[in-house]
């Protein structure tokens, strides 16, 4: 077993985002729709420990969802 096997990372896959006034959030109930700032064909963003590392597209197969990575994002050197 490798030492790396036990290291945990925080991974987030972002479909899109939205700015919503707090009063609208407080009025929301089940079934509310929030428009996102992206289109159906726009890539989803993959963040690891808060840093963008890849882009991809969401695939749906019945009840299962997965992400197909289409591009790795190169880390910019500061």
């Amino acid at each position: 077993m490798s030492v790396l096997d036990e290291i945990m990372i925080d991974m987030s896959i972002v479909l899109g985002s939205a700015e919503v006034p707090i009063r609208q959030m407080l009025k929301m109930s089940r079934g509310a729709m929030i428009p996102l700032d992206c289109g159906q064909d726009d890539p989803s963003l993959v963040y690891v420990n808060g840093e963008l590392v890849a882009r991809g597209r969401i695939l749906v197969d019945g009840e299962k969802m997965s992400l197909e990575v289409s591009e790795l994002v190169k880390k910019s050197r500061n």
Side-chain angles (χ1 to χ4, degrees):
M1 179 188 290
S2 170
V3 231
L4 298 178
D5 290 344
E6 299 301 318
I7 297 174
M8 300 298 289
I9 61 169
D10 179 32
M11 180 182 284
S12 301
I13 299 172
V14 178
L15 302 173
S17 62
E19 282 192 26
V20 180
I22 189 71
R23 69 181 169 287
Q24 183 179 344
M25 286 295 296
L26 294 172
K27 291 181 190 176
M28 284 186 187
S29 60
R30 185 180 180 134
M33 302 290 281
I34 302 170
L36 301 175
D37 64 352
C38 62
Q40 177 177 325
D41 297 324
D42 290 343
S44 296
L45 305 176
V46 181
Y47 290 89
V48 173
N49 294 335
E51 187 170 331
L52 179 63
V53 296
R55 290 182 179 86
R57 66 183 184 114
I58 300 296
L59 303 174
V60 180
D61 182 18
E63 294 288 319
K64 296 185 179 184
M65 293 177 68
S66 59
L67 178 92
E68 177 181 68
V69 175
S70 58
E71 174 190 355
L72 295 176
V73 176
K74 292 183 180 180
K75 186 175 181 176
S76 62
R77 296 184 184 214
N78 293 334

